[in-house]
Amino acid sequence: MRPKLNILSSELVEQIIAEAYELLMDPGVRVHNDEALQLLGDAGAPVDLQTKIARIPQQMAQNALETAPSEFHLYDLDGRPVVHYGGDSVQFDPGSAAITILDSDTQQQRVPLTADFVDFVKLVEMLPQIDAQSTAMICGDVPEEVGDLYRLYLALNFMRKPIITGAFRKDTWWVMKDMLVAVAGSADALIQRPIAVFDVCPSPPLLWSDLTCQNMIDCAKNGIPSELVSMPLSGATAPVTLAAAVVQHAAECMSGVTICQLAKRGAPIVWGGSPAAFDMREGTTPMGAVETWMIDCAYAQVGKALGMPTHAYLGMSDAKVVDAQCGLESAGGAFMAALAGVNMVSGAGMMDFESCQSFEKLVIDAEIIGMAKRLLAGVQAREQPIALDLMRKLGHRADYLAQPHTLKWFNKELYIPSAVIDRGSLDGWKKKGSKTATRRAADRVTELLANYHPPEISRELRRELRELTTDAARRFGMDELPPLPEVE
Amino acid sequence: MTLELLKRITDSLVDGDPDATVEGTRLALDAGLAPLTIISDGLVPGMEVVGDRFQTGEYFLPHLIIAASGMQQAMELLEPELKQRHEVVQRLGTVVIGTVQGDIHEIGKTLVATLLSAAGFQVYDLGVNVSAAEFVSKVRETNAGLLGLSALLTTTMTAQRQVIDALREAGIRDRVKVMVGGAPVSQEWTETIGADGYAEDAVGAVALAKNLVS
């Protein structure tokens, strides 16, 4: 039996869903996107073009939830289905779109550059605990207008795992799509074997910006999965009670699924989010708050009840350096998400709310993820009888280390951490330099980067990706991209 | 054919299959291979691979112990043959080992004993809850050059000192090097009680033992 956390009673789930449907009609959803309003109006939703408020009938939303697929796979660049969105599958990717990096040498936050993100992508490739890449940081050495597609360009040159990404503009989405098509081989191949998911974020409460709504519609029409990132901030942009924040989340997601399915029936879309319990002293959005984790687990349960694949931003920390708070918050969120069966948990490496990425935190988080996945594998009988034969054979001899039974099972029973986790003796630890977890993590970063080998990517594909990116950069005043590390 | 038989023995240790080690050793003897060749070209290379892989982190304690157990079983098969031929295996040294009086923890001690044996020491394992007098008498009887004293508890580690005192009283302290080990034991403690060395894990203990007898 797999351990499972259900944080809501089934009655509460039903009531949350019922109230969310009601919100879709009154006050309705404000949509700052003409195509979406057109789609909703054509389908029979009352739309006020003046206020841009659409009232979505329950039946329309229910139909959309019916036609949205309950599961789909993401493929790696070798064509293997390595990520399963659906059911209680649990997978992890790094937190995305950090605007700073915690510099390994100075332990100060600074603007990330091309080489930083390339190293980050390599690290993610090298960490088996992490299932997918994400466009994890925004590089400061290219124009802001191409910040989104430049990340994808860099990642595609160094990765094999699938990627969670997102666009910051309407026009750049198309360049990103062209890159993905180039890597997949054709538009059809990309539909058959998706390699990327685009995050699309409604604005709380109950509002869709033009940009993100268009990204979602374009994804749907082009067969690219999108991931709703609804982010009620309880007590600020959402009601303060956790249950009410979940109602708001559900209504926002339902509106997204409805617009998506009206754009293209059967388009894959994920019930996801990044809510937070507003901090009443600092006025911040803590990702390490237990109430944030509770809202996430609750909405995931609601999404599952509606048959949707799920996502959450969890496993992050509000700490400013890789310290005890950082470990505590990252582990708490990641374990809760795993137990709640969230299909894609985004957050590894991320700290200072959702603004900073750290290499050291990433490799520590990989250990947390390894342990969380071990927890999900549960306690299994393994053999029949479980213990009788073996224990009768050994009697009172403490000789289990020498038993073939031990050799056979220890590797499956135990998650064996890297040297980031210290389980040696005091003297052994001292001999290795009395290093803190952060220092050991820095050592592991160096080791992993030294062992990374770039994937085989044809010259033609590399050139095509570079041309697509350069064309876009030229439009915003950059004629030549920063050099790509190593591969050229 | 000869090479194939020896490689089979080596592989069986690396694969952690003691039955195959015994079977391979029997086949090698039947094929007329010299016991010393079987040891030096079949068993020892296998143990070396396992040891190397343990050091690099690829292998874990169960691999180490099961390989050592395969080696031991093969040696039992080879002993009578060696005797018959009046041959002796070159040993690195003789070790008496045990967990001190009042302490019944044996995992660490057995681990060290197994690895020392696989490394080429003649090992006399006295078990757990061993009195100072028993240690002294076994050292005297076997003329051992090394004595290993294990203690897991802070309350029983003082018994390590009692054994060293007993060796001194019996007048044989300079004939034997004393290694101490166990969770609460440290370099500082080693010096305090006048032991000759300590290691923080079983692999370290083998290195220490080799060092002490060289």
Side-chain angles (χ1 to χ4, degrees):
Chain A
M1 188 204 76
R2 190 182 128 157
K4 179 82 196 282
L5 171 69
N6 281 317
I7 200 166
L8 304 173
S9 68
S10 50
E11 293 77 25
L12 199 49
V13 171
E14 275 174 38
Q15 191 179 349
I16 286 167
I17 292 171
E19 290 197 22
Y21 281 131
E22 299 247 3
L23 286 179
L24 293 181
M25 276 305 280
D26 179 13
V29 185
R30 176 170 279 173
V31 184
H32 292 276
N33 178 279
D34 294 339
E35 189 173 351
L37 288 174
Q38 182 81 42
L39 287 167
L40 289 163
D42 289 352
V47 171
D48 183 335
L49 289 173
Q50 215 61 41
T51 59
K52 297 191 180 292
I53 288 175
R55 298 176 192 279
I56 302 175
Q58 179 169 339
Q59 193 57 53
M60 189 184 295
Q62 270 174 337
N63 290 347
L65 288 163
E66 281 293 313
T67 58
S70 58
E71 62 175 341
F72 65 91
H73 285 92
L74 287 186
Y75 292 76
D76 67 12
L77 300 194
D78 299 313
R80 291 173 305 187
V82 291
V83 166
H84 175 243
Y85 275 98
D88 284 333
S89 296
V90 173
Q91 291 125 137
F92 293 82
D93 75 307
S96 63
I99 50 170
T100 62
I101 178 173
L102 188 70
D103 188 286
S104 294
D105 297 328
T106 66
Q107 287 298 299
Q108 301 284 322
Q109 289 189 26
R110 62 170 172 79
V111 172
L113 302 172
T114 297
D116 296 316
F117 183 53
V118 167
D119 278 349
F120 190 88
V121 172
K122 291 178 181 177
L123 273 183
V124 173
E125 285 298 303
M126 293 296 289
L127 291 165
Q129 301 94 333
I130 299 182
D131 304 277
Q133 291 276 356
S134 81
T135 36
M137 48 181 94
I138 303 167
C139 299
D141 45 0
V142 294
E144 224 170 89
E145 293 87 345
V146 294
D148 53 359
L149 63 93
Y150 185 66
R151 303 177 299 173
L152 185 61
Y153 159 69
L154 293 180
L156 289 173
N157 270 285
F158 292 91
M159 71 179 213
R160 299 314 280 170
K161 294 180 181 180
I163 188 163
I164 317 300
T165 187
F168 303 156
R169 298 166 56 98
K170 287 199 279 189
D171 54 351
T172 48
W173 184 91
W174 291 95
V175 184
M176 296 172 82
K177 187 216 66 168
D178 287 346
M179 285 187 204
L180 293 171
V181 168
V183 170
S186 69
D188 193 51
L190 185 61
I191 294 170
Q192 295 307 317
R193 290 167 187 261
I195 56 175
V197 168
F198 278 77
D199 281 349
V200 291
C201 316
S203 311
L206 304 171
L207 205 140
W208 281 93
S209 72
D210 184 26
L211 150 72
T212 194
C213 195
Q214 193 63 49
N215 285 169
M216 179 171 68
I217 291 170
D218 292 339
C219 276
K221 285 171 153 179
N222 288 277
I224 296 173
S226 56
E227 187 165 86
L228 293 156
V229 184
S230 164
M231 40 192 139
L233 188 52
S234 65
T237 65
V240 74
T241 60
L242 307 188
V246 179
V247 172
Q248 177 176 316
H249 176 278
E252 288 181 359
C253 283
M254 284 171 176
S255 70
V257 174
T258 304
I259 295 167
C260 167
Q261 296 301 304
L262 290 176
K264 180 74 202 276
R265 271 167 64 105
I269 184 162
V270 181
W271 188 272
S274 184
F278 187 67
D279 187 278
M280 292 297 173
R281 193 171 278 135
E282 302 284 351
T284 51
T285 59
M287 306 313 296
V290 66
E291 300 82 5
T292 298
W293 309 342
M294 292 165 78
I295 299 171
D296 281 280
C297 293
Y299 83 60
Q301 195 181 336
V302 171
K304 284 172 189 288
L306 292 166
M308 296 293 295
T310 54
H311 156 271
Y313 271 93
L314 276 179
M316 288 173 289
S317 171
D318 309 318
K320 314 304 182 278
V321 290
V322 183
D323 61 3
Q325 180 185 341
C326 192
L328 147 68
E329 292 176 343
S330 302
F335 272 83
M336 292 270 288
L339 287 170
V342 175
N343 298 153
M344 183 59 77
V345 186
S346 303
M350 200 119 206
M351 54 196 299
D352 189 9
F353 310 102
E354 289 180 4
S355 64
C356 179
Q357 266 290 358
S358 156
F359 289 1
E360 290 78 14
K361 182 177 187 291
L362 183 74
V363 299
I364 294 172
D365 288 352
E367 300 300 339
I368 295 172
I369 291 166
M371 291 183 200
K373 286 181 171 176
R374 171 62 191 92
L375 173 66
L376 291 187
V379 178
Q380 297 176 39
R382 300 293 192 189
E383 290 192 358
Q384 285 303 336
I386 301 165
L388 279 183
D389 294 348
L390 183 64
M391 292 200 68
R392 283 181 178 156
K393 186 179 126 200
L394 263 74
H396 301 97
R397 277 190 299 132
D399 197 21
Y400 289 96
L401 208 41
Q403 300 307 307
H405 181 268
T406 305
L407 187 61
K408 179 178 174 190
W409 291 114
F410 86 94
N411 238 338
K412 299 172 186 74
E413 285 288 299
L414 304 174
Y415 167 70
I416 295 169
S418 77
V420 166
I421 304 298
D422 175 60
R423 291 179 180 169
S425 64
L426 175 63
D427 279 297
W429 176 76
K430 282 180 179 167
K431 262 190 199 160
K432 289 178 196 156
S434 304
K435 289 176 181 170
T436 62
T438 311
R439 283 285 313 284
R440 297 193 297 273
D443 291 347
R444 176 126 170 100
V445 168
T446 308
E447 178 196 323
L448 290 173
L449 287 178
N451 289 323
Y452 169 86
H453 297 292
E456 298 275 332
I457 298 174
S458 74
R459 243 165 217 284
E460 293 71 31
L461 178 56
R462 282 194 199 279
R463 194 183 313 122
E464 189 175 355
L465 292 172
R466 190 162 187 88
E467 278 166 8
L468 284 166
T469 310
T470 308
D471 283 352
R474 279 203 186 111
R475 275 182 272 143
F476 300 102
M478 180 177 251
D479 289 335
E480 185 127 358
L481 298 177
L484 202 57
E486 279 172 49
V487 291
E488 285 173 4
Chain B
M1 181 64 183
T2 301
L3 280 177
E4 225 167 79
L5 281 170
L6 291 170
K7 186 172 181 312
R8 193 163 152 186
I9 294 170
T10 305
D11 290 350
S12 70
L13 290 172
V14 175
D15 298 342
D17 187 349
D19 293 346
T21 310
V22 171
E23 177 64 18
T25 304
R26 200 188 310 273
L27 284 173
L29 279 175
D30 290 349
L33 266 70
L36 285 174
T37 308
I38 297 174
I39 295 170
S40 64
D41 298 352
L43 294 167
V44 170
M47 291 308 295
E48 280 171 358
V49 172
V50 173
D52 288 348
R53 291 191 184 175
F54 183 77
Q55 291 290 0
T56 58
E58 185 189 341
Y59 269 18
F60 297 86
L61 289 173
H63 296 106
L64 216 51
I65 296 304
I66 283 174
S69 140
M71 169 99 180
Q72 267 170 348
Q73 289 175 49
M75 288 304 291
E76 278 163 28
L77 204 63
L78 294 172
E79 289 296 349
E81 286 294 321
L82 288 162
K83 269 211 182 106
Q84 212 173 1
R85 293 166 179 243
H86 303 289
E87 286 175 347
V88 278
V89 184
Q90 199 62 43
R91 297 284 187 180
L92 289 177
T94 302
V95 190
V96 170
I97 194 168
T99 303
V100 296
Q101 192 148 38
D103 200 324
I104 57 159
H105 296 93
E106 67 172 332
I107 298 168
K109 178 268 302 166
T110 307
L111 201 55
V112 173
T114 308
L115 295 191
L116 284 174
S117 168
F121 286 89
Q122 178 74 47
V123 178
Y124 295 92
D125 186 346
L126 301 184
V128 298
N129 194 22
V130 181
S131 71
E134 286 172 275
F135 278 120
V136 169
S137 119
K138 196 70 182 180
V139 167
R140 200 175 257 146
E141 176 200 323
T142 61
N143 204 20
L146 272 174
L147 173 62
L149 303 174
S150 173
L152 185 83
L153 308 172
T154 47
T155 49
T156 57
M157 65 194 275
T158 50
Q160 292 178 331
R161 188 205 300 261
Q162 287 162 19
V163 177
I164 292 175
D165 292 346
L167 288 170
R168 205 169 285 128
E169 277 162 36
I172 56 169
R173 176 65 188 90
D174 357 334
R175 274 168 42 186
V176 63
K177 303 273 189 193
V178 180
M179 331 195 313
V180 290
V185 176
S186 65
Q187 185 60 41
E188 198 189 343
W189 173 249
T190 308
E191 285 161 21
T192 306
I193 64 171
D196 297 295
Y198 112 101
E200 75 236 8
D201 56 35
V203 175
V206 174
L208 173 67
K210 285 181 177 170
N211 215 358
L212 288 175
V213 296
S214 67

